[in-house]
Amino acid sequence: MVKVAKFGGSSLADAGQFEKAATIIRADSERRLIVVSAPGKRHGEDIKTTDLLVTLAADVLEDGPVEESLQAVKERYESIVRGLGLSGNPAAETEQQLRKLIDEYKTDPPRLMDALMASGENENAKLMAAYLRSLGETARYVSPEEAGMVVTDEPANARILPEAYERLKKLREEEGILVIPGFFGVSKAGHIVTFPRGGSDISGSIIAAGVEASLYENFTDVDSVYSVNPSLVENPKEMKQLTYREMRELAYAGFSVFHDEALLPVVAKKVPVAIKNTNHPDAPGTRITAEREREGLPVIGIASDSGFVTINLTKYLMNREVGFGRNLLNILAEEGISFEHTPSGIDNMSIIVREEYLNDAAEKRILERIREELDVEEVHVERNLAMVMVVGEGMASTVGVASKATTALSEAGVNIKMINQGSSEVSMMFGVNAEDADLAVKSLYKACFEKEPV
């Protein structure tokens, strides 16, 4: 049996957190594959190591002085080395590696950013392996290249290649504890390429799927996943178990505990996931599996995410025009924009996209194309939208959830801009003004969890 354990930035922020992580690793001999993030914040005002590396990259690209930002990164690792009492001078080796990457990629901004950002995880993996050895464990650092994490050559947006899974499988046969940096892979040309946000979660999930792990443990700084953002609701309900589909919907809608793209590899191999607390490892945590027992309530969680834009268009007899939807989406595809949702009526359609993809120039160009190529009566863009998601496998077999949700939003004075529910009925989405998102979440939580169930 092999378990993959991933430790996030908060779990490795300083020497004390390293010690906790090492104790967890050593407590279970099946935890043989360890995936690490870069050191996170040590306190509220602190700066993540990854952000320090971004500053370093910016200094290099602006052709300015780099010594201050370089030393800030080195100091983060030196403080961990001192706290752990490690021998040698690993922080100096980290500095040497950073200088090498700067020399190699300083004329190639995307490559430089990927290489420097990835070094946060890479150097931390070396430290964790060294610390485990100092405790008497058989442990070694394994680079993503050696592990077989071969990815597409898309800076900041790597995707795992199919052949990687077969290469990763051989890690099962290795002896001792293997420590692998998260967040990045290596292209066929040998370039360091990072995954998108939540990349260390993605790495851990890929490795767990590759070795067909009995369990993928994701260690963070919370006892479990809550049904709602705990900053919005006092003492929210804990989710002890949820399905892959429920977690995917909640992560997509803003749950930061587990990145939505990280689920795909473990879903394909049906590897169960456990989200646990490094600071309280005996807590049961939250388990994510293909199926779960129903707890009585149809809704398991509520989340929201902002930064959405809708392209709203109207054309009489749209429903009679064969290929209209395809032609509309083709315009977005040719402009390099992916869509999130497409609620529609017989004469109108709305395309919801992430705001980051639709700057002023792109908006003007796309609207002109829609008017000219699709001959619509009206088209306009609406910004500052948030998507609020109500999630639960039990909604499909429960009458009245939509009524309860819309009544709660109405009573709270939240204007619903749109409603969308997939055919699986695992989630129900409400589009609201961004400034109303928190109020919407709180009112929905009260209706779904604090009142009598429907």
Side-chain angles (χ1 to χ4, degrees):
M1 302 285 278
V2 176
K3 293 179 182 177
V4 174
K6 178 259 177 181
F7 291 89
S10 63
S11 299
L12 301 169
D14 57 25
Q17 292 300 97
F18 257 72
E19 291 171 354
K20 292 177 185 178
T23 299
I24 292 169
I25 294 167
R26 302 177 74 200
D28 188 342
S29 61
E30 292 181 3
R31 291 183 180 125
R32 290 173 38 216
L33 294 168
I34 310 303
V35 180
V36 303
S37 295
K41 288 186 177 184
R42 294 163 290 190
H43 50 79
E45 304 303 316
D46 201 13
I47 302 173
K48 294 179 180 180
T49 305
T50 301
D51 292 337
L52 294 175
L53 289 163
V54 170
T55 299
L56 173 60
D59 289 344
V60 173
L61 295 175
E62 292 169 5
D63 202 23
V66 301
E67 290 306 314
E68 183 177 346
S69 52
L70 183 61
Q71 292 308 311
V73 177
K74 181 183 177 184
E75 169 55 30
R76 284 303 305 272
Y77 291 105
E78 282 183 335
S79 66
I80 294 172
V81 171
R82 287 194 302 269
L84 297 177
L86 292 177
S87 60
N89 198 351
E93 295 173 8
T94 294
E95 179 184 1
Q96 183 180 7
Q97 176 64 15
L98 290 172
R99 291 187 185 278
K100 178 182 176 183
L101 293 172
I102 290 170
D103 288 341
E104 183 174 357
Y105 293 115
K106 60 186 176 183
T107 59
D108 191 340
R111 299 284 186 205
L112 177 72
M113 189 63 73
D114 264 11
L116 289 184
M117 288 179 67
S119 65
E121 279 75 9
N122 201 48
E123 300 307 308
N124 224 26
K126 294 175 184 176
L127 284 187
M128 177 55 79
Y131 180 52
L132 289 170
R133 287 195 298 273
S134 76
L135 298 174
E137 298 293 336
T138 302
R140 72 182 184 93
Y141 156 82
V142 177
S143 70
E145 183 175 21
E146 181 188 350
M149 292 279 285
V150 57
V151 298
T152 58
D153 202 357
E154 303 170 88
N157 194 36
R159 288 171 294 146
I160 197 71
L161 293 174
E163 58 262 38
Y165 289 104
E166 195 59 38
R167 298 184 187 187
L168 289 165
K169 196 170 184 178
K170 71 181 187 300
L171 296 175
R172 289 183 62 96
E173 311 307 319
E174 295 278 348
E175 296 293 330
I177 301 169
L178 307 183
V179 186
I180 307 169
F183 188 42
F184 72 99
V186 179
S187 70
K188 289 184 176 180
H191 292 297
I192 294 169
V193 192
T194 62
F195 292 109
R197 62 192 180 99
S200 290
D201 285 345
I202 296 173
S203 295
S205 181
I206 289 169
I207 292 168
V211 301
E212 298 180 3
S214 59
L215 181 66
Y216 172 36
E217 297 176 303
N218 193 297
F219 284 91
T220 180
D221 55 3
V222 295
D223 278 351
S224 66
V225 180
Y226 295 100
S227 292
V228 70
N229 185 339
S231 68
L232 298 178
V233 175
E234 188 175 354
N235 298 319
K237 179 180 172 61
E238 294 184 6
M239 292 186 285
K240 298 301 183 185
Q241 188 175 23
L242 64 161
T243 66
Y244 294 131
R245 293 196 300 179
E246 289 170 333
M247 187 69 241
R248 166 79 169 96
E249 297 281 356
L250 289 168
Y252 166 80
F255 268 44
S256 60
V257 175
F258 200 74
H259 192 267
D260 59 314
E261 290 187 31
L263 276 175
L264 181 59
V266 291
V267 169
K269 292 290 186 178
K270 290 186 169 51
V271 177
V273 179
I275 297 175
K276 296 177 70 69
N277 191 346
T278 304
N279 303 310
H280 190 191
D282 293 332
T286 297
R287 200 170 180 92
I288 309 171
T289 54
E291 303 291 338
R292 69 172 176 89
E293 292 184 7
R294 302 287 164 79
E295 298 178 348
L297 293 174
V299 174
I300 193 168
I302 300 167
S304 70
D305 196 13
S306 57
F308 291 94
V309 173
T310 59
I311 304 171
N312 303 311
L313 55 93
T314 300
K315 184 173 185 180
Y316 184 57
L317 295 179
M318 178 194 300
N319 64 310
R320 300 275 299 275
E321 187 172 330
V322 176
F324 182 88
R326 180 196 62 196
N327 295 333
L328 172 59
L329 295 178
N330 191 54
I331 291 174
L332 294 179
E334 290 175 355
E335 296 291 338
I337 296 175
S338 61
F339 72 93
E340 304 291 326
H341 308 277
T342 58
S344 64
I346 58 172
D347 294 327
N348 54 70
M349 180 179 287
S350 294
I351 307 295
I352 303 172
V353 302
R354 293 277 181 180
E355 192 168 22
E356 62 194 89
Y357 299 128
L358 202 67
N359 56 34
D360 291 341
E363 176 183 331
K364 181 179 179 181
R365 191 167 58 248
I366 289 170
L367 294 190
E368 286 178 355
R369 288 192 62 182
I370 290 174
R371 291 188 187 100
E372 294 174 5
E373 298 175 29
L374 303 181
D375 192 27
V376 299
E377 273 82 48
E378 180 187 354
V379 60
H380 68 277
V381 167
E382 189 172 359
R383 294 182 176 272
N384 299 318
L385 289 176
M387 298 299 147
V388 180
M389 201 82 77
V390 178
V391 177
E393 296 269 8
M395 293 196 300
S397 57
T398 304
V399 176
V401 177
S403 173
K404 173 178 272 194
T406 54
T407 298
L409 293 175
S410 175
E411 290 177 350
V414 175
N415 183 34
I416 302 172
K417 312 290 287 188
M418 66 184 65
I419 302 175
N420 195 23
Q421 184 172 27
S423 58
S424 67
E425 297 187 63
V426 174
S427 67
M428 186 181 304
M429 184 197 73
F430 298 93
V432 303
N433 291 321
E435 59 267 26
D436 292 332
D438 288 351
L439 177 59
V441 170
K442 287 188 281 190
S443 64
L444 288 168
Y445 181 85
K446 184 176 181 180
C448 293
F449 292 98
E450 296 179 359
K451 293 183 177 181
E452 288 296 317
V454 293

Short mmCIF file of all heavy atoms in Angstrom, two decimals, residues 111 114 118 144-165 167-168 181-196 199 202-203 206-207 265:
data_model
loop_
_atom_site.label_atom_id
_atom_site.label_comp_id
_atom_site.label_asym_id
_atom_site.label_seq_id
_atom_site.Cartn_x
_atom_site.Cartn_y
_atom_site.Cartn_z
N ARG A 111 9.83 31.95 -19.34
CA ARG A 111 10.65 30.86 -18.81
C ARG A 111 11.26 31.25 -17.47
O ARG A 111 11.33 30.44 -16.54
CB ARG A 111 11.77 30.52 -19.78
CG ARG A 111 11.31 30.04 -21.14
CD ARG A 111 10.82 28.62 -21.07
NE ARG A 111 10.51 28.13 -22.41
CZ ARG A 111 9.66 27.17 -22.67
NH1 ARG A 111 9.00 26.57 -21.68
NH2 ARG A 111 9.42 26.77 -23.90
N ASP A 114 8.59 31.05 -14.71
CA ASP A 114 8.31 29.65 -14.37
C ASP A 114 9.45 29.04 -13.55
O ASP A 114 9.22 28.38 -12.54
CB ASP A 114 8.09 28.83 -15.64
CG ASP A 114 6.62 28.69 -15.99
OD1 ASP A 114 5.79 29.38 -15.38
OD2 ASP A 114 6.30 27.88 -16.89
N ALA A 118 9.01 28.04 -9.60
CA ALA A 118 9.09 26.61 -9.30
C ALA A 118 10.19 26.31 -8.28
O ALA A 118 10.12 25.30 -7.56
CB ALA A 118 9.35 25.82 -10.58
N PRO A 144 10.95 16.49 -10.47
CA PRO A 144 9.85 16.12 -11.37
C PRO A 144 10.34 15.42 -12.63
O PRO A 144 9.66 14.52 -13.15
CB PRO A 144 9.19 17.46 -11.67
CG PRO A 144 9.43 18.26 -10.42
CD PRO A 144 10.84 17.88 -10.01
N GLU A 145 11.49 15.82 -13.12
CA GLU A 145 12.03 15.18 -14.32
C GLU A 145 12.33 13.71 -14.06
O GLU A 145 11.96 12.83 -14.85
CB GLU A 145 13.30 15.90 -14.78
CG GLU A 145 13.88 15.34 -16.07
CD GLU A 145 15.06 16.15 -16.57
OE1 GLU A 145 15.68 16.88 -15.77
OE2 GLU A 145 15.36 16.07 -17.78
N GLU A 146 13.01 13.42 -12.95
CA GLU A 146 13.30 12.03 -12.60
C GLU A 146 12.02 11.25 -12.32
O GLU A 146 11.90 10.07 -12.70
CB GLU A 146 14.22 11.96 -11.38
CG GLU A 146 14.58 10.55 -10.98
CD GLU A 146 15.33 10.46 -9.67
OE1 GLU A 146 15.74 11.51 -9.14
OE2 GLU A 146 15.50 9.33 -9.15
N ALA A 147 11.06 11.90 -11.67
CA ALA A 147 9.81 11.22 -11.34
C ALA A 147 9.01 10.85 -12.59
O ALA A 147 8.26 9.88 -12.58
CB ALA A 147 8.97 12.11 -10.43
N GLY A 148 9.18 11.63 -13.65
CA GLY A 148 8.42 11.37 -14.88
C GLY A 148 7.29 12.34 -15.13
O GLY A 148 6.38 12.05 -15.91
N MET A 149 7.32 13.51 -14.47
CA MET A 149 6.27 14.52 -14.63
C MET A 149 6.49 15.30 -15.92
O MET A 149 6.88 16.47 -15.92
CB MET A 149 6.27 15.47 -13.43
CG MET A 149 5.82 14.84 -12.14
SD MET A 149 4.04 14.72 -12.00
CE MET A 149 3.63 16.42 -11.64
N VAL A 150 6.24 14.65 -17.04
CA VAL A 150 6.41 15.30 -18.33
C VAL A 150 5.13 16.04 -18.69
O VAL A 150 4.03 15.48 -18.62
CB VAL A 150 6.83 14.29 -19.42
CG1 VAL A 150 5.83 13.16 -19.55
CG2 VAL A 150 7.02 14.98 -20.76
N VAL A 151 5.27 17.32 -19.07
CA VAL A 151 4.11 18.19 -19.26
C VAL A 151 4.20 18.93 -20.59
O VAL A 151 5.24 18.93 -21.25
CB VAL A 151 3.99 19.22 -18.11
CG1 VAL A 151 3.80 18.52 -16.78
CG2 VAL A 151 5.22 20.13 -18.07
N THR A 152 3.10 19.56 -20.95
CA THR A 152 3.09 20.39 -22.15
C THR A 152 3.97 21.62 -21.95
O THR A 152 4.18 22.07 -20.81
CB THR A 152 1.66 20.85 -22.49
OG1 THR A 152 1.13 21.57 -21.36
CG2 THR A 152 0.77 19.68 -22.80
N ASP A 153 4.45 22.17 -23.03
CA ASP A 153 5.37 23.31 -22.96
C ASP A 153 4.60 24.63 -23.03
O ASP A 153 4.75 25.41 -23.98
CB ASP A 153 6.39 23.22 -24.09
CG ASP A 153 7.65 24.01 -23.78
OD1 ASP A 153 7.69 24.66 -22.72
OD2 ASP A 153 8.60 23.96 -24.58
N GLU A 154 3.76 24.88 -22.00
CA GLU A 154 2.96 26.09 -21.92
C GLU A 154 3.28 26.80 -20.62
O GLU A 154 2.75 26.43 -19.57
CB GLU A 154 1.47 25.75 -21.96
CG GLU A 154 1.03 24.96 -23.17
CD GLU A 154 -0.40 24.44 -23.01
OE1 GLU A 154 -1.33 25.18 -23.37
OE2 GLU A 154 -0.56 23.32 -22.49
N PRO A 155 4.15 27.79 -20.64
CA PRO A 155 4.54 28.47 -19.39
C PRO A 155 3.33 28.92 -18.58
O PRO A 155 2.37 29.48 -19.10
CB PRO A 155 5.34 29.68 -19.90
CG PRO A 155 5.95 29.20 -21.18
CD PRO A 155 4.88 28.33 -21.81
N ALA A 156 3.38 28.60 -17.29
CA ALA A 156 2.35 28.96 -16.30
C ALA A 156 1.02 28.23 -16.52
O ALA A 156 0.05 28.49 -15.81
CB ALA A 156 2.10 30.46 -16.28
N ASN A 157 0.98 27.30 -17.47
CA ASN A 157 -0.28 26.61 -17.75
C ASN A 157 -0.02 25.17 -18.18
O ASN A 157 -0.66 24.66 -19.11
CB ASN A 157 -1.06 27.36 -18.84
CG ASN A 157 -2.50 26.91 -18.94
OD1 ASN A 157 -3.14 26.58 -17.94
ND2 ASN A 157 -3.03 26.87 -20.15
N ALA A 158 0.90 24.51 -17.52
CA ALA A 158 1.28 23.15 -17.89
C ALA A 158 0.11 22.18 -17.74
O ALA A 158 -0.74 22.33 -16.86
CB ALA A 158 2.44 22.67 -17.04
N ARG A 159 0.08 21.19 -18.62
CA ARG A 159 -0.86 20.08 -18.51
C ARG A 159 -0.07 18.78 -18.59
O ARG A 159 0.85 18.67 -19.40
CB ARG A 159 -1.91 20.14 -19.62
CG ARG A 159 -2.94 21.26 -19.45
CD ARG A 159 -3.79 21.39 -20.69
NE ARG A 159 -3.01 21.84 -21.84
CZ ARG A 159 -3.23 21.45 -23.10
NH1 ARG A 159 -4.19 20.60 -23.37
NH2 ARG A 159 -2.47 21.91 -24.08
N ILE A 160 -0.44 17.83 -17.78
CA ILE A 160 0.29 16.57 -17.76
C ILE A 160 0.06 15.82 -19.07
O ILE A 160 -1.04 15.84 -19.64
CB ILE A 160 -0.15 15.71 -16.55
CG1 ILE A 160 0.85 14.60 -16.27
CG2 ILE A 160 -1.56 15.17 -16.72
CD1 ILE A 160 2.16 15.08 -15.71
N LEU A 161 1.09 15.18 -19.58
CA LEU A 161 0.97 14.37 -20.79
C LEU A 161 0.63 12.93 -20.42
O LEU A 161 1.06 12.43 -19.36
CB LEU A 161 2.27 14.43 -21.59
CG LEU A 161 2.61 15.80 -22.20
CD1 LEU A 161 3.98 15.78 -22.85
CD2 LEU A 161 1.55 16.21 -23.22
N PRO A 162 -0.13 12.24 -21.25
CA PRO A 162 -0.58 10.88 -20.91
C PRO A 162 0.55 9.92 -20.54
O PRO A 162 0.41 9.09 -19.64
CB PRO A 162 -1.32 10.42 -22.17
CG PRO A 162 -1.78 11.69 -22.81
CD PRO A 162 -0.70 12.70 -22.54
N GLU A 163 1.69 10.04 -21.24
CA GLU A 163 2.77 9.10 -20.98
C GLU A 163 3.39 9.26 -19.59
O GLU A 163 4.11 8.39 -19.11
CB GLU A 163 3.87 9.22 -22.04
CG GLU A 163 4.48 10.61 -22.17
CD GLU A 163 3.88 11.42 -23.31
OE1 GLU A 163 2.65 11.31 -23.52
OE2 GLU A 163 4.63 12.15 -23.98
N ALA A 164 3.11 10.40 -18.94
CA ALA A 164 3.68 10.63 -17.61
C ALA A 164 3.19 9.60 -16.60
O ALA A 164 3.95 9.19 -15.71
CB ALA A 164 3.33 12.04 -17.14
N TYR A 165 1.95 9.17 -16.72
CA TYR A 165 1.39 8.26 -15.72
C TYR A 165 2.12 6.93 -15.68
O TYR A 165 2.34 6.36 -14.60
CB TYR A 165 -0.10 8.06 -15.97
CG TYR A 165 -0.91 9.30 -15.65
CD1 TYR A 165 -1.40 10.13 -16.65
CD2 TYR A 165 -1.16 9.66 -14.33
CE1 TYR A 165 -2.12 11.27 -16.35
CE2 TYR A 165 -1.89 10.80 -14.02
CZ TYR A 165 -2.36 11.61 -15.04
OH TYR A 165 -3.07 12.74 -14.74
N ARG A 167 5.24 6.52 -16.47
CA ARG A 167 6.56 6.79 -15.89
C ARG A 167 6.47 6.92 -14.37
O ARG A 167 7.33 6.45 -13.63
CB ARG A 167 7.15 8.07 -16.49
CG ARG A 167 7.37 8.01 -17.99
CD ARG A 167 8.03 9.27 -18.50
NE ARG A 167 8.11 9.31 -19.95
CZ ARG A 167 8.77 10.24 -20.64
NH1 ARG A 167 9.38 11.22 -20.00
NH2 ARG A 167 8.78 10.22 -21.96
N LEU A 168 5.41 7.59 -13.91
CA LEU A 168 5.24 7.79 -12.47
C LEU A 168 5.03 6.47 -11.73
O LEU A 168 5.40 6.35 -10.56
CB LEU A 168 4.06 8.73 -12.21
CG LEU A 168 4.27 10.20 -12.58
CD1 LEU A 168 2.93 10.93 -12.62
CD2 LEU A 168 5.19 10.87 -11.57
N PRO A 181 8.97 17.91 -5.37
CA PRO A 181 8.39 19.26 -5.38
C PRO A 181 7.11 19.31 -6.18
O PRO A 181 7.00 18.69 -7.25
CB PRO A 181 9.49 20.12 -6.02
CG PRO A 181 10.29 19.17 -6.84
CD PRO A 181 10.23 17.84 -6.13
N GLY A 182 6.13 20.04 -5.67
CA GLY A 182 4.89 20.24 -6.41
C GLY A 182 4.99 21.44 -7.34
O GLY A 182 6.04 22.07 -7.47
N PHE A 183 3.88 21.72 -8.03
CA PHE A 183 3.70 22.96 -8.79
C PHE A 183 4.26 22.96 -10.20
O PHE A 183 3.88 23.78 -11.02
CB PHE A 183 4.27 24.14 -8.01
CG PHE A 183 3.98 25.50 -8.58
CD1 PHE A 183 2.74 25.81 -9.10
CD2 PHE A 183 4.96 26.47 -8.60
CE1 PHE A 183 2.47 27.08 -9.62
CE2 PHE A 183 4.71 27.74 -9.11
CZ PHE A 183 3.46 28.04 -9.62
N PHE A 184 5.16 22.04 -10.53
CA PHE A 184 5.73 22.11 -11.88
C PHE A 184 6.12 20.73 -12.40
O PHE A 184 6.27 19.77 -11.66
CB PHE A 184 6.95 23.05 -11.91
CG PHE A 184 8.19 22.51 -11.24
CD1 PHE A 184 9.21 21.95 -11.99
CD2 PHE A 184 8.35 22.59 -9.87
CE1 PHE A 184 10.37 21.48 -11.38
CE2 PHE A 184 9.50 22.12 -9.24
CZ PHE A 184 10.52 21.56 -10.00
N GLY A 185 6.27 20.69 -13.71
CA GLY A 185 6.79 19.52 -14.39
C GLY A 185 7.87 19.96 -15.34
O GLY A 185 8.33 21.11 -15.32
N VAL A 186 8.27 19.06 -16.22
CA VAL A 186 9.33 19.36 -17.18
C VAL A 186 8.83 18.98 -18.57
O VAL A 186 8.27 17.90 -18.76
CB VAL A 186 10.62 18.60 -16.84
CG1 VAL A 186 11.70 18.89 -17.86
CG2 VAL A 186 11.11 18.97 -15.44
N SER A 187 9.03 19.89 -19.53
CA SER A 187 8.59 19.61 -20.90
C SER A 187 9.54 18.62 -21.56
O SER A 187 10.62 18.33 -21.05
CB SER A 187 8.55 20.91 -21.71
OG SER A 187 9.87 21.38 -21.95
N LYS A 188 9.15 18.12 -22.72
CA LYS A 188 10.00 17.18 -23.44
C LYS A 188 11.32 17.82 -23.84
O LYS A 188 12.33 17.13 -24.01
CB LYS A 188 9.26 16.65 -24.67
CG LYS A 188 8.12 15.70 -24.34
CD LYS A 188 7.48 15.14 -25.59
CE LYS A 188 6.40 14.11 -25.24
NZ LYS A 188 5.76 13.55 -26.45
N ALA A 189 11.30 19.16 -23.99
CA ALA A 189 12.52 19.87 -24.34
C ALA A 189 13.39 20.16 -23.11
O ALA A 189 14.48 20.73 -23.24
CB ALA A 189 12.17 21.18 -25.04
N GLY A 190 12.91 19.77 -21.93
CA GLY A 190 13.69 19.94 -20.72
C GLY A 190 13.45 21.24 -19.98
O GLY A 190 14.18 21.56 -19.04
N HIS A 191 12.41 22.00 -20.35
CA HIS A 191 12.12 23.26 -19.68
C HIS A 191 11.25 23.04 -18.44
O HIS A 191 10.36 22.17 -18.44
CB HIS A 191 11.38 24.22 -20.63
CG HIS A 191 12.23 24.70 -21.76
ND1 HIS A 191 13.37 25.45 -21.58
CD2 HIS A 191 12.10 24.54 -23.11
CE1 HIS A 191 13.90 25.74 -22.76
NE2 HIS A 191 13.16 25.20 -23.70
N ILE A 192 11.48 23.85 -17.42
CA ILE A 192 10.62 23.86 -16.25
C ILE A 192 9.33 24.58 -16.63
O ILE A 192 9.36 25.70 -17.14
CB ILE A 192 11.31 24.61 -15.08
CG1 ILE A 192 12.54 23.84 -14.62
CG2 ILE A 192 10.34 24.83 -13.93
CD1 ILE A 192 13.42 24.63 -13.67
N VAL A 193 8.19 23.95 -16.37
CA VAL A 193 6.89 24.55 -16.72
C VAL A 193 5.96 24.37 -15.52
O VAL A 193 5.76 23.25 -15.02
CB VAL A 193 6.26 23.89 -17.96
CG1 VAL A 193 5.09 24.74 -18.46
CG2 VAL A 193 7.28 23.72 -19.08
N THR A 194 5.36 25.47 -15.05
CA THR A 194 4.50 25.40 -13.87
C THR A 194 3.04 25.14 -14.26
O THR A 194 2.59 25.49 -15.34
CB THR A 194 4.56 26.71 -13.06
OG1 THR A 194 4.10 27.80 -13.86
CG2 THR A 194 5.98 26.99 -12.59
N PHE A 195 2.33 24.53 -13.32
CA PHE A 195 0.89 24.35 -13.47
C PHE A 195 0.19 25.67 -13.12
O PHE A 195 0.81 26.56 -12.53
CB PHE A 195 0.40 23.25 -12.53
CG PHE A 195 0.87 21.87 -12.90
CD1 PHE A 195 1.82 21.21 -12.13
CD2 PHE A 195 0.36 21.23 -14.02
CE1 PHE A 195 2.27 19.95 -12.47
CE2 PHE A 195 0.80 19.96 -14.37
CZ PHE A 195 1.75 19.32 -13.60
N PRO A 196 -1.08 25.82 -13.46
CA PRO A 196 -1.81 27.03 -13.05
C PRO A 196 -2.02 27.04 -11.55
O PRO A 196 -1.52 26.18 -10.83
CB PRO A 196 -3.13 26.94 -13.82
CG PRO A 196 -3.28 25.48 -14.13
CD PRO A 196 -1.91 24.95 -14.30
N GLY A 199 -1.19 24.65 -8.17
CA GLY A 199 -0.36 23.69 -8.87
C GLY A 199 0.18 22.56 -8.02
O GLY A 199 0.37 21.45 -8.51
N ILE A 202 -2.35 19.96 -7.79
CA ILE A 202 -2.39 19.23 -9.07
C ILE A 202 -1.27 18.20 -9.12
O ILE A 202 -1.48 17.04 -9.50
CB ILE A 202 -2.30 20.21 -10.25
CG1 ILE A 202 -3.53 21.14 -10.27
CG2 ILE A 202 -2.18 19.46 -11.57
CD1 ILE A 202 -3.45 22.26 -11.30
N SER A 203 -0.06 18.61 -8.73
CA SER A 203 1.07 17.67 -8.72
C SER A 203 0.78 16.47 -7.84
O SER A 203 1.00 15.32 -8.24
CB SER A 203 2.33 18.37 -8.22
OG SER A 203 2.74 19.40 -9.08
N ILE A 206 -1.74 14.15 -9.46
CA ILE A 206 -1.17 13.42 -10.60
C ILE A 206 -0.31 12.26 -10.11
O ILE A 206 -0.39 11.13 -10.62
CB ILE A 206 -0.35 14.37 -11.49
CG1 ILE A 206 -1.28 15.33 -12.24
CG2 ILE A 206 0.51 13.58 -12.48
CD1 ILE A 206 -0.57 16.46 -12.93
N ILE A 207 0.52 12.53 -9.12
CA ILE A 207 1.39 11.48 -8.58
C ILE A 207 0.57 10.38 -7.93
O ILE A 207 0.84 9.18 -8.11
CB ILE A 207 2.41 12.08 -7.59
CG1 ILE A 207 3.39 12.98 -8.36
CG2 ILE A 207 3.16 10.99 -6.84
CD1 ILE A 207 4.25 13.85 -7.47
N PRO A 265 -7.17 13.88 -12.04
CA PRO A 265 -6.37 12.65 -12.03
C PRO A 265 -6.85 11.61 -11.04
O PRO A 265 -6.91 10.42 -11.36
CB PRO A 265 -4.96 13.17 -11.67
CG PRO A 265 -4.96 14.60 -12.08
CD PRO A 265 -6.36 15.08 -11.81
#
